[in-house]
Amino acid sequence: MLATGASVLLSGPAHAAPASDPLPVDIPDYQAALDAVKSADIRNAVCRFLSVPVPRGGSDTVQTIPDKADPCEGMPAFTIKDPLPVSEITPGFVAGTSQPIAAEAVKLTRLVSSLNTTVNDRQVTVMLAPTQGGGWHLAAVREGDGEATFAGKAGAGTLVFTEPQIRGWYLLKLITVEPLNDQAREGLGGKSSMSLSDYQKLVKARYADKLPASEYGTKGMSSGYGIASGAESASSTTPLLVGGSSAALVLVAGAWFLFRRRRNITG
């Protein structure tokens, strides 16, 4: 679970902060996040990720990470963009115990960044998680920049949030919810917008009986609903890659994981 005690305010992404306030009020310890994405450690992690080809083909393959003192040696020049906030709907909102207002409906769970340019025709997403006690740390490097693209759609007075169970991405304008991808449009029943109150009724019907303390969760039918981290926790540091045509490559806390894509994120 990725969590932060900060309230989510409708102030938009980092670059939308007022000029008199260099740090956005909706991202705690934002300077720490900036320092992280500009650090040599995260840059090297991105280079290691990019040094491994995306698995292709129907047969399983094993690939190893090139062992170089400088992981970025021979790599085209790139920079990592400033991080953007990503929020998720809260369990209280799903349960119907929270008010249908931004501060209670969604919660900041992670920051995402992409590269300023493609590197060998590839883009990546750098995901930061809040560190206990303050600050941010690298949670994952993932293939593609879909998350950062969606997060970048927030502007002044709006924020972007996800409904992770259906991979839906939404834009929240005060108390109006608008879909940003096909999954979100399906989640709203094909509507182009909906009040936050009506959206709460939808997600309550979908998930309220599947929360962690529910009968659904306690009987072992599922782990229940919870804030998603966006990447599985690493249980091994072995750099193992298994290839396949529907594979998605992820570097998590020094370990490599391959996820089978269930549905593509579409704009």
Side-chain angles (χ1 to χ4, degrees):
M1 178 183 294
L2 298 183
T4 175
S7 296
V8 178
L9 304 177
L10 292 178
S11 58
H15 58 267
S20 60
D21 181 4
L23 302 183
V25 295
D26 57 344
I27 301 179
D29 298 320
Y30 184 66
Q31 187 59 53
L34 278 178
D35 292 343
V37 297
K38 305 304 180 184
S39 70
D41 286 345
I42 288 186
R43 182 178 180 82
N44 287 341
V46 170
C47 289
R48 288 195 298 272
F49 182 90
L50 291 171
S51 67
V52 180
V54 178
R56 301 185 184 280
S59 60
D60 290 345
T61 59
V62 176
Q63 304 178 57
T64 57
I65 303 172
D67 184 16
K68 296 193 300 184
D70 179 5
C72 298
E73 181 183 358
M75 195 80 64
F78 68 88
T79 59
I80 302 174
K81 295 180 181 179
D82 294 350
L84 300 170
V86 175
S87 298
E88 294 179 7
I89 51 176
T90 66
F93 180 73
V94 172
T97 58
S98 297
Q99 296 288 325
I101 58 177
E104 297 186 25
V106 299
K107 189 173 186 177
L108 178 67
T109 57
R110 61 189 182 275
L111 305 179
V112 293
S113 303
S114 59
L115 308 184
N116 70 318
T117 185
T118 57
V119 176
N120 298 332
D121 296 322
R122 292 169 65 185
Q123 255 291 0
V124 304
T125 294
V126 174
M127 185 184 302
L128 301 182
T131 301
Q132 187 174 7
W136 297 86
H137 64 271
L138 177 64
V141 179
R142 307 177 70 167
E143 192 73 24
D145 62 349
E147 290 195 38
T149 297
F150 284 128
K153 293 183 180 295
T158 68
L159 62 80
V160 169
F161 71 93
T162 72
E163 183 183 336
Q165 296 76 16
I166 63 170
R167 297 169 64 88
W169 287 80
Y170 303 86
L171 184 69
L172 180 58
K173 296 181 177 180
L174 295 178
I175 56 171
T176 301
V177 176
E178 297 181 0
L180 292 177
N181 66 347
D182 289 343
Q183 292 88 327
R185 279 184 280 273
E186 292 175 11
L188 297 186
K191 296 182 178 181
S192 60
S193 66
M194 180 178 292
S195 72
L196 187 58
S197 178
D198 286 342
Y199 174 68
Q200 183 177 32
K201 295 174 184 176
L202 286 182
V203 295
K204 181 178 180 180
R206 280 201 279 266
Y207 313 120
D209 62 343
K210 300 175 179 63
L211 289 163
S214 67
E215 182 179 9
Y216 184 90
T218 56
K219 286 191 174 181
M221 290 180 282
S222 169
S223 59
Y225 168 86
I227 299 295
S229 67
E232 302 297 326
S233 59
S235 59
S236 169
T237 57
T238 303
L240 178 65
L241 299 178
V242 182
S245 59
S246 62
L249 189 62
V250 182
L251 170 61
V252 184
W256 294 92
F257 291 86
L258 204 71
F259 294 94
R260 301 296 174 184
R261 299 181 201 265
R262 287 175 290 183
R263 301 180 67 178
N264 290 327
I265 296 177
T266 58

